[in-house]
Amino acid sequence: MLVSAAVCPHPPLLVPEMAGAAAGELDALREACDEAVRRLAGDALVVVGGDARTWEPAADGVADFRPYGLDLTFGTGRDTLPLSLAIGHWLLRRARDVPPVRYQAVAFDASPQDCLALGERLAGSAERVALLVMGDGSACRDVKAPGYLDDRAEPFDEAAARALGGPGARGPADAAALAALDPSLAADLWAAGRAAWQVLAGAAGAAPFTAELLAHEAPYGVGYLVASWKRD
């Protein structure tokens, strides 16, 4: 049963050493992520994030930031974590100094039905499950964004923010709205978090959760959302 969740973005620049002189630009976002991760409660902690395919890396998987220009690695296993899970690992070390019990990668292009089913399985894997859900919003918020400017990007991120954070930045989470996100539109907008968010929706099901939106930014033309969920 899912009892809590944290939703965080996964840009490499979230790691201060990666950002260099620009690290201060994301200080508030890091603090929001830290707070969301600290609020996680449960007996089984699962980090969920997007990748090219759906698979379950070993719990000792390696978070390797060398491909992004930083000589930093965590873990000793044979599996190399995708960026989303590597940033999740880093956040856990930073905010809680605890290892995840389990990693779950979900294909960026996984269907909503497959994401919901995966989330339901994760929620049923232990009596009290906590999810750290890693995913970025649209990457088309301005002309300098990776996907250039698309007028649909801001409304997409606003809808995701309402679903993840409740009305007025705090209130009932809306798993149904997450489940209804259009995968084709998300792909057009380079929204890397769509599949992971829909895994969260599947894990929550119809259960009531109080949600709080801790951050909603787009500093580099990419939507970054941070939220905390607690089962009522």
Side-chain angles (χ1 to χ4, degrees):
M1 177 177 72
L2 182 69
V3 296
S4 68
V7 177
C8 297
H10 53 72
L13 294 181
L14 204 59
V15 181
E17 296 86 349
M18 202 98 67
E25 297 175 7
L26 294 184
D27 279 349
L29 185 67
R30 291 186 197 96
E31 291 172 6
C33 290
D34 289 345
E35 178 61 22
V37 171
R38 280 193 294 264
R39 293 184 188 183
L40 286 170
D43 301 322
L45 176 58
V46 186
V47 185
V48 179
D51 193 16
R53 61 188 177 100
T54 297
W55 64 298
E56 185 176 344
D60 62 354
V62 176
D64 185 357
F65 296 103
R66 288 174 297 183
Y68 305 96
L70 180 64
D71 187 15
L72 178 66
T73 60
F74 302 124
T76 59
R78 297 178 61 183
D79 291 338
T80 299
L81 302 175
L83 175 64
S84 61
L85 301 183
I87 295 292
H89 184 126
W90 176 82
L91 283 173
L92 285 169
R93 290 176 59 97
R94 170 183 165 92
R96 290 167 57 106
D97 195 26
V98 296
V101 172
R102 183 176 174 185
Y103 291 111
Q104 179 63 61
V106 59
F108 291 119
D109 61 355
S111 71
Q113 294 79 11
D114 287 346
C115 294
L116 296 173
L118 176 57
E120 186 175 355
R121 290 197 297 273
L122 292 177
S125 64
E127 186 174 348
R128 289 171 50 81
V129 175
L131 294 184
L132 173 53
V133 180
M134 307 300 299
D136 296 348
S138 66
C140 300
R141 293 287 295 271
D142 62 37
V143 295
K144 296 182 179 180
Y148 198 66
L149 176 64
D150 191 312
D151 291 339
R152 300 171 296 173
E154 186 171 355
F156 177 91
D157 285 346
E158 291 290 344
R162 288 192 298 271
L164 290 169
R170 182 179 175 86
D174 194 342
L178 288 181
L181 291 175
D182 183 347
S184 296
L185 175 59
D188 287 349
L189 299 176
W190 297 30
R194 188 275 309 173
W197 296 341
Q198 289 184 324
V199 171
L200 171 59
F209 284 82
T210 296
E212 183 176 358
L213 190 66
L214 300 175
H216 182 188
E217 305 178 8
Y220 308 120
V222 182
Y224 297 145
L225 303 170
V226 181
S228 175
W229 285 25
K230 181 179 180 181
R231 193 181 185 100
D232 294 345

